[in-house]
Amino acid sequence: MSASHISQPKTAIATAPEPIKPSNFLRQIIESDLEHGTYAARCWGGSPGDAAHHDGKPDPAKIRTRFPPEPNGYLHIGHAKSICINFGLARDYGGVCHLRFDDTNPEKEDTEYVDSIVDAVRWLGFDWSQPGNDQPYQASDYFEFMYRAAEVLIQAGHAYVDEQTAEEMRLHRGDFGKPGSDSPFRNRSPGENLAKFRAMRAGTYPDGTMVLRAKIDMASPNINLRDPAIYRIRRATHHNTGDTWCIYPMYTYAHPIEDALEQITHSICTLEFEDQRPFYDWLLERLIEGGLLAAPPPRQYEFARLNLTYVITSKRKLASLVSEGKVAGWDDPRMPTIVGLRRRGFTPESLQLFAERIGVTKSDSWIDYATLEGCLREDLETKAYRGMAVLNPVKLVLTNWDEVMGPGHLEPCTQPALPHVPEGTTPPPPRHFTIGKAVWIEREDFEETPPKAYKRLYPGNTVRLKGGYVITCTGCSKDASGSIVEVYAHVIPDTKSGTPGSDRVKVKAAITWVGVADGVAAEVRLYDRLFLDAQPDAGGKDFMASLNPNSLLVRRAVVEPSLAQTLPDQKVQFERHGYFVADRHDHSMQRPVFNLAVGLKDSWGK
Ligand code: ATP
Ligand code: MG
């Protein structure tokens, strides 16, 4: 963050028309499906279910999308993109978006994460509830159906129990250049397979001794179709189903079924699932053939995941930052988690704007972190009340004050809380503060021997105290070590901002300040990027090695009274410094604590 420029930034007035939503390949697919009535005859039984459950009840929703996080960590900025895409498409096309916990993996999941995901989606401004149905869905509620579907596959000769070791299975799978070879267990009869599978469920066999595999094609050029495993034995307590199950479905098997039971039309995921799509389609076709699932099946579409410079977006890696104490928790304001971004001062609107702006594509790329910051700046520009704060204070004494203004006099000053309000809206009440004999100014606003082109305070120079008086610097006092203790100046009477003739003395700079009499001490946390490397974990790099040692600097600052009166989570602009947020957890009016959200202009690397 740089505090090197004095005057207020040019403030753009928000009169630009709402941009028309740019189209993208997903919008085109949906528009084409709506035009061709692809899903017009689809049914919805009011809750997820099989073909019989949905039968005969036309779906009032034109499309159904879903956001299916695994509850194994806090959501991050990449998930925010996915949330905005899925909920945004449903909203824009008369559809419904489901929030579904993809909780089929018993080991890593936790209700703490479930709650945090619910909060994050709501906070971003989205809602999954439908009439008579306000709970998010849980994939684990479908375990019984998934099991039934597996039995149907077995009976139709589409699945078999394989007792090869993991190593043998790996050896028989082949690779990109070499077809796989059949398992010796591949040609067991459906009856034998069914008995084995039922025994697997009953807990007859130890973990890892056998799996159920789809019977497709061991020579397929797509390795995902070489008889993928669809069930494994795993004795683990599940956060929803407890110890009911000792066999669990594999993700690639569970996910298409979850989509189909929920009558999803457009199942949107990231590109790494592209190779899974043939299996997704294969499985649903078999289950529709078997009469279990309703046609038409959902279709999977892939988009490029968000990669953001200076940021890592992997729950696992973010978890390691927390567990190794590199940050103060999942909601540390340096974390790209939704809770972290929120505590940092990001707004739902800024994240929605970001998702809109980066768009949806099918090719991977990196988005510049400055794009995200720009969206926040844009959102706060017209919303965040202004105020002055001195982050690195030194006392300025107006030595002629008592003489020209009266001993101990405090002069009231006012400034607008918002310099520009959108046309037709009433501006908020102005801020009030006072000026007296002593004020706090930024240490870097005084130079005893000014560098070239320096316009702020130096002996003999005249500047304005923003919103106050014009003053002429006379000198300073120093301690034994030569550091400056106080700066001295003369006040020029009758130059108070906003009074007639106040501009008769021309100045080249206006500096920010806070009165010693009414300023409030505050803790200000200056956050910077967590990593120094733009792609901290690309190509398997050790992201811990590029942690920025200066990602947090804590300042003892002084703020004007109106800033101290902000509520936790409220965003403000410290004039000239940037946008800050009153910390959600630590701020109080008695002991204000602010986090830097974003500087006034992009100063990274400059
Ligand atoms: P992580 O690797 O961080 O655990 P994930 O993909 O495993 O991420 P899920 O909980 O499975 O996390 O993801 C839920 C949804 O969010 C998925 O549809 C996934 O495609 C999407 N998603 C995850 N990360 C990103 C990202 N960086 N950009 C866009 N979408 C993402
Ligand atoms: Mg995942």
Side-chain angles (χ1 to χ4, degrees):
M1 202 207 57
S2 130
S4 59
H5 60 290
I6 285 297
S7 54
Q8 274 277 84
K10 288 193 185 63
T11 38
I13 305 174
T15 50
E18 261 300 291
I20 295 164
K21 289 215 175 86
S23 191
N24 59 50
F25 77 97
L26 292 173
R27 289 183 178 273
Q28 285 159 14
I29 288 165
I30 292 172
E31 284 162 18
S32 158
D33 283 337
L34 291 175
E35 190 184 319
H36 295 100
T38 315
Y39 296 103
R42 218 168 32 94
C43 290
W44 172 244
S47 56
D50 62 9
H53 173 76
H54 292 301
D55 191 36
K57 304 168 197 94
D59 191 349
K62 290 210 174 71
I63 61 166
R64 284 184 188 267
T65 57
R66 86 285 174 269
F67 173 65
E70 197 181 340
N72 62 351
Y74 282 73
L75 299 184
H76 52 62
I77 182 77
H79 297 111
K81 172 179 176 179
S82 180
I83 292 169
C84 291
I85 291 173
N86 283 293
F87 281 91
L89 290 171
R91 174 197 60 208
D92 293 347
Y93 292 101
V96 169
C97 180
H98 299 186
L99 173 61
R100 176 206 308 152
F101 292 109
D102 211 327
D103 59 353
T104 53
N105 183 356
E107 280 117 14
K108 298 178 292 181
E109 295 153 4
D110 202 298
T111 43
E112 174 196 351
Y113 300 133
V114 169
D115 295 341
S116 78
I117 290 170
V118 163
D119 285 348
V121 175
R122 285 225 176 92
W123 177 76
L124 272 173
F126 297 108
D127 187 14
W128 54 86
S129 61
Q130 303 160 58
N133 202 352
D134 61 1
Q135 290 302 309
Y137 296 130
Q138 302 191 84
S140 55
D141 288 340
Y142 314 146
F143 279 160
E144 194 60 54
F145 179 89
M146 289 172 187
Y147 177 82
R148 175 155 72 100
E151 286 205 349
V152 167
L153 290 178
I154 292 169
Q155 279 159 331
H158 295 312
Y160 62 99
V161 173
D162 195 344
E163 293 177 53
Q164 292 182 101
T165 62
E167 180 59 13
E168 285 166 336
M169 259 189 260
R170 201 182 54 75
L171 286 173
H172 286 150
R173 193 172 294 125
D175 54 36
F176 283 107
K178 190 171 122 226
S181 51
D182 289 359
S183 158
F185 300 95
R186 198 172 195 263
N187 290 319
R188 273 177 165 159
S189 71
E192 247 179 303
N193 281 315
L194 197 57
K196 278 268 168 199
F197 186 52
R198 287 182 177 163
M200 272 171 71
R201 176 186 187 164
T204 312
Y205 310 114
D207 286 9
T209 48
M210 57 191 74
V211 293
L212 183 70
R213 297 177 77 175
K215 189 172 178 179
I216 310 177
D217 179 5
M218 287 305 293
S220 171
N222 182 339
I223 291 177
N224 297 295
L225 292 180
R226 293 182 189 172
D227 293 6
I230 59 179
Y231 262 96
R232 62 194 169 127
I233 306 173
R234 181 80 185 92
R235 285 169 178 77
T237 304
H238 187 280
H239 78 100
N240 181 29
T241 56
D243 293 319
T244 311
W245 295 91
C246 66
I247 57 171
Y248 287 96
M250 305 300 283
Y251 176 84
T252 46
Y253 172 76
H255 201 87
I257 293 180
E258 295 159 23
D259 284 345
L261 291 173
E262 293 181 18
Q263 290 291 78
I264 299 303
T265 53
H266 301 83
S267 175
I268 299 162
C269 61
T270 41
L271 281 173
E272 61 267 30
F273 294 99
E274 197 166 6
D275 290 344
Q276 297 286 356
R277 183 163 16 100
F279 178 69
Y280 185 104
D281 293 338
W282 178 91
L283 177 64
L284 294 184
E285 276 162 38
R286 298 294 81 72
L287 296 176
I288 288 171
E289 271 167 20
L292 256 70
L293 291 175
R299 292 275 174 228
Q300 176 182 304
Y301 303 95
E302 308 87 18
F303 69 97
R305 55 179 283 123
L306 169 68
N307 297 309
L308 191 60
T309 58
Y310 301 101
V311 164
I312 53 178
T313 48
S314 149
K315 276 182 266 174
R316 185 178 55 77
K317 291 175 188 168
L318 293 174
S320 69
L321 290 172
V322 175
S323 64
E324 291 184 29
K326 304 295 184 194
V327 294
W330 285 99
D331 71 347
D332 186 298
R334 291 165 293 185
M335 288 284 272
T337 50
I338 295 181
V339 280
L341 290 164
R342 177 176 180 186
R343 195 166 170 198
R344 180 71 176 268
F346 279 83
T347 56
E349 293 81 0
S350 65
L351 297 180
Q352 287 179 23
L353 179 64
F354 176 68
E356 204 68 66
R357 190 156 290 170
I358 60 178
V360 187
T361 64
K362 281 198 80 88
S363 54
D364 274 316
S365 66
W366 283 78
I367 302 290
D368 197 336
Y369 190 80
T371 307
L372 176 63
E373 294 187 319
C375 292
L376 180 59
R377 242 180 245 125
E378 211 167 303
D379 184 42
L380 294 183
E381 168 64 42
T382 52
K383 288 183 186 166
Y385 288 8
R386 278 30 173 195
M388 288 193 284
V390 176
L391 303 188
N392 188 13
V394 66
K395 194 181 271 181
L396 168 76
V397 179
L398 302 171
T399 48
N400 64 339
W401 180 270
D402 286 351
E403 190 187 317
V404 298
M405 303 297 294
H409 178 71
L410 288 177
E411 178 68 18
C413 304
T414 63
Q415 285 284 284
L418 277 180
H420 306 287
V421 291
E423 230 171 287
T425 48
T426 328
R431 302 135 49 193
H432 296 280
F433 47 92
T434 62
I435 185 166
K437 185 181 170 77
V439 301
W440 300 108
I441 60 166
E442 298 289 352
R443 221 160 246 284
E444 63 262 33
D445 283 355
F446 172 76
E447 289 285 351
E448 205 179 5
T449 333
K452 217 165 157 253
Y454 189 82
K455 296 195 180 66
R456 291 167 270 167
L457 284 175
Y458 55 88
N461 196 37
T462 298
V463 303
R464 173 173 292 282
L465 291 176
K466 193 164 192 282
Y469 287 86
V470 174
I471 60 169
T472 301
C473 185
T474 55
C476 66
S477 66
K478 292 192 240 176
D479 65 13
S481 69
S483 67
I484 289 159
V485 179
E486 286 182 340
V487 177
Y488 301 115
H490 278 159
V491 62
I492 305 179
D494 302 324
T495 57
K496 193 169 99 173
S497 297
T499 58
S502 62
D503 53 358
R504 73 189 157 83
V505 186
K506 297 288 175 225
V507 293
K508 291 216 172 68
I511 64 172
T512 51
W513 57 280
V514 171
V516 168
D518 63 1
V520 180
E523 177 176 326
V524 173
R525 299 169 181 169
L526 300 178
Y527 290 104
D528 206 335
R529 271 151 240 218
L530 194 50
F531 298 100
L532 295 170
D533 189 328
Q535 303 184 354
D537 59 346
K541 262 185 285 186
D542 173 17
F543 56 94
M544 294 286 187
S546 70
L547 278 168
N548 176 3
N550 298 317
S551 60
L552 169 59
L553 300 175
V554 178
R555 293 286 181 87
R556 307 276 144 215
V558 194
V559 301
E560 70 170 68
S562 69
L563 290 177
Q565 272 145 38
T566 52
L567 296 170
D569 212 25
Q570 193 176 324
K571 286 82 180 162
V572 290
Q573 187 196 97
F574 290 1
E575 293 190 44
R576 115 192 219 188
H577 290 298
Y579 293 100
F580 289 75
V581 60
D583 190 79
R584 293 178 64 197
H585 301 312
D586 302 337
H587 172 86
S588 69
M589 293 187 196
Q590 294 69 39
R591 195 182 162 278
V593 178
F594 291 96
N595 302 329
L596 171 66
V598 64
L600 289 180
K601 58 179 190 183
D602 183 18
S603 60
W604 179 254
K606 285 178 190 146

